[in-house]
Amino acid sequence: MKLNSAFFLLLILSSAQIFANISLPEIFSDNMVLQRNAEVKIWGWAKPGEEIKLSTSWSDEQLNTKGDRNGNWQITLSTPDVSGSQEITISGYNEVKLKNLLLGEVWLVSGQSNMEWSAGAGITNAEEAISEAENDQIRFFSVAHRTAENRQQDLDGSWVQSSPETMKNFSAVAYFFGKKLQEELGVPVGLINSSWGGTPAEVWVPSEAIISNDSLAKAAKMLPAERWGPNEPGLIYNAMIAPLVPFKIQGILWYQGESNTSNAAYYEQLFSTLIKSWRDEWETEFPFYYAQIAPYDYGDNYSGVEIRDAQRRVRKLPKTGMVMTSDIGNIKDIHPRNKLDVGLRFARLALADHYGKEIDGAYAPQFEKAEKDGSKVRIYFEHAEELHFDKSNKESQFELAGENGNFHPAIAKISDNVIILRSGKVKEPKKVRFSWGSTSTSNVLNEAGLPASSFRAEL
């Protein structure tokens, strides 16, 4: 009798395992942050036809769906703006509970090593920053490095609370951004880091967007093989971005460009394609903010500044913004250790531009237009309040060229926040450029002390 009872119990347990089919992608786990005040999609896998019920701690409503014939399911739920730890329960043949989750602001950060760089890898004032990192209102999700030939459904990663132990190995730029956001908004912040050092932008773009475009396909073939990461279009996108779609995010932070100096002439088109393709995948025109790469000695005169100028021009896309790093870079080190100011500049930009806060120092002066005035040229900037030259670096970095295209140094002065240029060697100016060199450090600042971007323009 005891043998029969044991056999019967084993049969029940085996049956339960057979039918226990509800499962979720790794992005849905304990300790996660869901975007507040939004329609959020939760998805996963189950038996075809399996009835699935979802309930939350913040609502009495129960949501229902069924696994489709391919074993997929998806539910959309509304998230309010409520504080405190929350839970989600999903049940079918089995039950899954998501515990200690928060509703707040969720941002995805991506790019290469300067975004990936952690306090543990070495940053300015690392010890102090690490020791102050205990904050259960900030949560991290780190995506493991993976590549794939085709789009993946899941990825490796987990949500953790910010602490000295977790923060020191997370993106320092993202942490400082999230910390400032959390302080100013007073809500939880979730940060998803999907970055890989040394990678060109092509690997982060869906491969079909590269292959179907002749110029981008040509540019991709110009990339050198590197030992620290892939260079084939789409390989990282498939494994490290595609599985996150359509997880609800508020916006994107991006810090990349150094690995595209070999095909810099194509970077504006490439980067614009990346932004548009990600927005298309999420079906959302979320804000996309990016850091302009800092001056660095690439062994040539212009490849670095060509990337910087391409990044500047991408600002014409809607809901984009660029933070400057030329004043906090290091021309001998491609990994400047001041990550605090980069993170804070991202945060101020997002707070002013997206959240509508009155924040000082949110915008750097950006080239708007150049106008001829006889033999002189007038340069206008956006966000040009109290425009001035850096006292420690006063020499003009402006150059003018005539019909022959030969550039000559220009004398520059500032009048009513407009820069007026002239050169005795250029009587009929046709072109203008500023801070035009891979190692050139901008010396035009606004009242916030932020530098203007290098640029070139036709007259």
Side-chain angles (χ1 to χ4, degrees):
M1 184 68 179
K2 289 182 178 179
L3 183 62
N4 288 339
S5 297
F7 176 77
F8 183 67
L9 179 60
L10 180 62
L11 183 62
I12 291 174
L13 291 174
S14 299
S15 299
Q17 291 173 352
I18 290 172
F19 288 105
N21 282 289
I22 288 181
S23 59
L24 299 168
E26 293 294 319
I27 192 66
F28 299 110
S29 67
D30 295 346
N31 305 312
M32 72 175 174
V33 180
L34 286 181
Q35 179 60 46
R36 62 178 179 148
N37 295 330
E39 297 297 303
V40 172
K41 292 181 173 65
I42 309 287
W43 70 92
W45 305 279
K47 280 282 189 180
E50 182 175 354
E51 294 186 1
I52 299 161
K53 302 174 182 178
L54 185 148
S55 60
T56 70
S57 57
W58 64 82
S59 174
D60 294 330
E61 183 183 10
Q62 178 179 284
L63 302 173
N64 303 288
T65 190
K66 291 183 179 181
D68 67 17
R69 65 190 184 92
N70 295 315
N72 300 309
W73 60 267
Q74 180 174 285
I75 291 177
T76 300
L77 66 154
S78 298
T79 54
D81 185 6
V82 296
S83 59
S85 178
Q86 306 294 328
E87 288 189 3
I88 293 177
T89 301
I90 305 168
S91 59
Y93 295 137
N94 62 317
E95 183 176 274
V96 177
K97 275 188 178 291
L98 303 176
K99 301 176 182 179
N100 192 32
L101 64 89
L102 300 173
L103 304 181
E105 296 299 297
V106 182
W107 286 77
L108 170 63
V109 308
S110 188
Q112 57 183 107
S113 53
N114 275 307
M115 183 61 86
E116 191 175 22
W117 202 266
S118 67
I123 63 171
T124 306
N125 297 324
E127 186 175 342
E128 178 184 0
I130 292 170
S131 68
E132 296 176 350
E134 192 71 47
N135 189 336
D136 70 354
Q137 296 298 290
I138 301 175
R139 307 286 174 87
F140 308 137
F141 186 94
S142 296
V143 177
H145 287 185
R146 295 288 187 273
T147 63
E149 294 288 343
N150 300 297
R151 299 188 188 202
Q152 301 299 293
Q153 292 184 311
D154 205 357
L155 42 66
D156 290 332
S158 60
W159 285 97
V160 295
Q161 298 179 178
S162 176
S163 69
E165 292 73 26
T166 60
M167 174 270 184
K168 69 181 179 182
N169 295 316
F170 193 73
S171 163
V173 168
Y175 167 73
F176 291 126
F177 165 82
K179 184 173 184 288
K180 179 67 172 177
L181 222 61
Q182 200 276 320
E183 291 170 352
E184 293 290 335
L185 299 177
V187 300
V189 173
L191 301 167
I192 304 168
N193 179 24
S194 184
S195 305
W196 189 329
T199 54
E202 284 85 349
V203 301
W204 296 96
V205 180
S207 58
E208 57 269 23
I210 303 291
I211 296 169
S212 63
N213 185 288
D214 290 343
S215 62
L216 293 183
K218 177 182 177 181
K221 293 178 181 178
M222 298 169 63
L223 294 169
E226 302 288 0
R227 67 180 183 274
W228 47 75
N231 66 357
E232 296 86 353
L235 281 190
I236 291 180
Y237 176 85
N238 289 338
M240 295 177 60
I241 298 297
L244 296 171
V245 180
F247 189 82
K248 184 67 175 180
I249 56 175
Q250 189 64 270
I252 305 280
L253 305 184
W254 176 261
Y255 196 166
Q256 189 274 339
E258 296 91 341
S259 290
N260 279 100
T261 52
S262 60
N263 58 2
Y266 299 88
Y267 194 76
E268 179 184 0
Q269 182 184 10
L270 172 63
F271 188 28
S272 297
T273 299
L274 185 150
I275 295 172
K276 292 174 183 176
S277 67
W278 285 23
R279 287 173 169 173
D280 287 345
E281 292 293 317
W282 262 274
E283 298 181 345
T284 305
E285 194 175 69
F286 41 58
F288 199 111
Y289 302 134
Y290 53 94
Q292 187 184 66
I293 63 171
Y296 175 72
D297 186 1
Y298 291 95
D300 58 41
N301 292 328
Y302 301 122
S303 63
V305 73
E306 286 173 352
I307 291 289
R308 299 202 301 271
D309 193 46
Q311 291 172 321
R312 177 190 66 83
R313 295 195 301 271
V314 170
R315 290 179 59 248
K316 65 178 177 286
L317 293 181
K319 296 186 179 180
T320 58
M322 183 174 74
V323 301
M324 299 297 299
T325 66
S326 62
D327 59 325
I328 51 177
N330 185 335
I331 64 172
K332 298 299 182 183
D333 189 346
I334 205 167
H335 301 122
R337 297 308 198 262
N338 183 352
K339 303 303 185 190
L340 172 61
D341 282 324
V342 182
L344 291 178
R345 290 177 187 185
F346 267 128
R348 294 186 189 111
L349 177 59
L351 287 165
D353 193 65
H354 181 66
Y355 293 103
K357 300 286 186 180
E358 292 187 9
I359 299 290
D360 293 333
Y363 302 102
Q366 294 293 348
F367 172 72
E368 183 178 11
K369 63 181 180 179
E371 291 181 347
K372 288 179 63 174
D373 183 7
S375 62
K376 297 179 182 179
V377 174
R378 302 171 69 86
I379 306 294
Y380 297 84
F381 289 88
E382 302 172 67
H383 313 295
E385 299 81 5
E386 297 184 23
L387 204 67
H388 62 280
F389 293 112
D390 183 350
K391 291 181 180 179
S392 64
N393 184 17
K394 290 183 178 180
E395 187 174 346
S396 173
Q397 295 181 21
F398 289 92
E399 298 171 275
L400 293 173
E403 194 68 46
N404 62 11
N406 296 326
F407 280 94
H408 299 276
I411 297 172
K413 71 174 185 178
I414 299 175
S415 176
D416 295 328
N417 296 324
V418 175
I419 294 181
I420 302 171
L421 307 176
R422 62 181 176 86
S423 172
K425 295 184 178 182
V426 183
K427 301 301 183 182
E428 287 288 333
K430 298 294 183 180
K431 298 179 181 180
V432 59
R433 66 187 187 187
F434 167 68
S435 198
W436 198 257
S438 290
T439 60
S440 297
T441 301
S442 171
N443 66 344
V444 173
L445 313 172
N446 65 3
E447 65 177 347
L450 296 175
S453 172
S454 49
F455 71 87
R456 57 185 171 184
E458 303 282 337
L459 298 169

